[in-house]
Amino acid sequence: MDAIQLIVSGLANGCVYGLIALGFVLIYKATEAVNFAQGDFMMLGAFLCVGFTNEAYLGLPFWAAVPLAIMAMAVFGYLFDMTILRRMFGESQVAIVILTIAFGFVLRFIAGEVWTHEPVSLETPFAGEFINLGGVVLDVSEILIVIVTLLLTGVLYLFFSRTKLGVAMQAASQNQLAAYYMGIPVKRIQSLVWGLSGAVAAIAGILFASKGAIDPSAGLLGIKAFAAAAIGGFGSLPGALVGGLIVGLVEPIAARYGPVGVSQIAPYAILILVLIFRPGGIFSQTQRKKV
Amino acid sequence: MSDDVLLRVKNLESFYGPIMAIRGVSLEVRRGQLVTVLGANGAGKTTLLKTISGVMDPEKGIVELEGEEIQGSDPDLVVNRGMVHVPEGREIFPLLTVAENIQMGAYTRKDADGIAEDIELVYDYFPILRERRTQAAGTLSGGQQQMLAIGRGLMARPRIMLLDEPSLGLSPLLTEEIFAIIKRLNKEQGVTMMLVEQNAAVALSVADYGYVMELGRIVMADEAEVLANSKDVQEFYLGVSHEENQRGQRRWKQRKTWR
């Protein structure tokens, strides 16, 4: 019984990591830049939702606040690329990485000033509710996290495989130059990818805040998600989710059955093992160009 | 006569970093023509095509497509106006399927019926692509990837297609096959072609008109047949040796007549 509860809560954590990792991978694939502020995007999405729905702030109904926060983060991501990153076009990757790290700090500070530096929990209609399945007591929010992640994965899969825009995003990420030759507006597509990853970050943040508390430094979770993305294979969308689930599951199990402190180290130990034995990650996508 | 000109380039100058790669090129492509631009490595052929199709911006000069100036506009606008660029080295989308690659060629179009028709057209010209349509494009052979790149270019329903070295890395037999299809597309579909090639023999065998480019300048322009029979082109691009050589006269002592 204990084990099942551990696994469910590990899965729920893993889903959040996986969604943040998904944001990393989306941006990396589309623009070859790594957005180290992805964790802070997640935090900002959560705080936006808190700001919209919590009684202390605007007090809107929860089901209105969620889409508002997601849309706000989508616009935020789009504008961040359009206004700031486009000026960096042609600069080295290092400059862009440092910029996103610095931007993450700025977001952390802004969130602290606008809302609070203290941990705050998102007021959801299902907060603190449990269901009892034959002796196994499960947190409703954890089950919802798993379901929402599954649905989102399905929606993203259909989007990338069935819609023209989704295929064009893949095309632009696989061969930017060729996409440009085909008349695909690559810059606008990149901004849209940033918007998409902002929306995914917001969903991750709302899910994260719904099962616990969120504070401005929650964005540091992004580091763990980054490890998850690397484990799964940077550049693979299913890999990001699987990497997230692995990290999420290993943590509580290591904490429960392993010696003290192992749970903090475990994700990175796995990362090192994966990098040694399968440097491209579990789902590495490498393709050599034929000449 | 002049309104028959589909593409006109006037005094084009273009830089590749600090290097002036195109030094005042002027040329004309008539509707329905198959024009080739010959030249050695580094002559500026690829830069010329990139500048015409808007991937690079020119420093000076004019590019006119059907009388409208298009120099410096973004490629999506140029594609919309009926000019498509099939780049050097195929540049397909390796992880997308063959069918998805082909659909991406029609990105700027909205007419679903026309797109479906053109997909059939591409498959008719390249039956192997129909067979492989669910396969990831990166798994195709080099020749098939070149066919895919041309087919993908056709999907924009271009009036003029810029082809950059379609023979690159292909066997002589495959090169001939691809060029035969290019010729057929030109004759049957009326797609005007501007073809950049190092393989002068094959290019001149299908082309109507040719330009020879050296160090960023056009040094010779004539009907393809005339070019193929010109001594300089034969010597430097077709590898035909003349009697002088057999008599021991060193060619490098002579000046090329076009200089």
Side-chain angles (χ1 to χ4, degrees), chain B residues 7 11-12 55 57 109 130 143 148 161 210 212 226 237 239 247:
Chain B
L7 173 72
N11 293 325
L12 203 64
V55 176
D57 290 343
R109 287 171 61 183
R130 190 197 302 271
L148 179 58
M161 190 179 238
V212 179
V226 181
Y237 293 100
R247 277 192 269 121

Side-chain angles (χ1 to χ4, degrees), chain A:
Chain A
M1 297 302 114
D2 212 24
I4 295 176
Q5 275 159 13
L6 266 186
I7 287 172
V8 171
S9 99
L11 278 179
N13 270 333
C15 286
V16 173
Y17 298 150
L19 288 180
I20 304 173
L22 201 65
F24 273 116
V25 172
L26 277 173
I27 287 171
Y28 177 72
K29 286 191 74 164
T31 67
E32 282 170 12
V34 179
N35 174 24
F36 275 100
Q38 191 66 29
D40 301 289
F41 276 36
M42 184 243 8
M43 176 275 296
L44 190 63
F47 265 109
L48 279 172
C49 198
V50 166
F52 286 136
T53 191
N54 276 20
E55 285 302 328
Y57 302 100
L58 288 180
L60 297 174
F62 179 73
W63 299 115
V66 169
L68 268 179
I70 294 171
M71 274 190 309
M73 280 310 292
V75 172
F76 180 80
Y78 185 91
L79 290 179
F80 178 65
D81 182 62
M82 205 178 82
T83 56
I84 297 174
L85 285 180
R86 199 159 297 172
R87 285 171 206 283
M88 304 279 291
F89 191 77
E91 300 290 331
S92 75
Q93 294 297 332
V94 179
I96 294 172
V97 165
I98 305 264
L99 181 109
T100 61
I101 293 175
F103 192 66
F105 277 103
V106 173
L107 289 184
R108 237 167 278 167
F109 174 76
I110 290 176
E113 288 302 305
V114 172
W115 291 285
T116 165
H117 289 282
E118 302 301 315
V120 46
S121 58
L122 180 64
E123 289 161 14
T124 62
F126 47 84
E129 284 194 37
F130 293 89
I131 49 170
N132 194 328
L133 285 176
V136 186
V137 181
L138 298 173
D139 192 333
V140 172
S141 59
E142 287 181 344
I143 295 169
L144 266 177
I145 288 174
V146 175
I147 293 172
V148 168
T149 306
L150 281 177
L151 284 178
L152 184 63
T153 311
V155 168
L156 283 176
Y157 173 77
L158 289 178
F159 171 71
F160 278 112
S161 61
R162 298 290 153 80
T163 68
K164 187 174 162 187
L165 184 62
V167 178
M169 281 181 180
Q170 288 191 63
S173 86
Q174 287 169 26
N175 194 334
Q176 206 167 316
L177 192 66
Y180 202 44
Y181 280 121
M182 290 300 100
I184 296 171
V186 175
K187 287 178 191 159
R188 202 160 61 86
I189 295 257
Q190 289 190 345
S191 296
L192 286 172
V193 170
W194 273 87
L196 181 63
S197 88
V200 172
I203 294 172
I206 293 166
L207 294 177
F208 180 74
S210 74
K211 79 175 181 58
I214 184 111
D215 65 278
S217 60
L220 294 175
L221 212 66
I223 306 286
K224 225 180 273 175
F226 183 76
I231 289 171
F234 232 95
S236 157
L237 297 181
L241 285 168
V242 170
L245 289 179
I246 290 174
V247 172
L249 280 174
V250 161
E251 270 186 325
I253 291 172
R256 177 78 173 74
Y257 301 106
V260 178
V262 168
S263 74
Q264 275 93 330
I265 302 168
Y268 305 103
I270 293 176
L271 173 63
I272 290 170
L273 287 179
V274 167
L275 289 181
I276 290 172
F277 292 106
R278 207 176 148 77
I282 295 171
F283 287 71
S284 63
Q285 282 181 324
T286 45
Q287 196 82 46
R288 259 168 256 290
K289 193 175 149 182
K290 284 200 182 85
V291 178

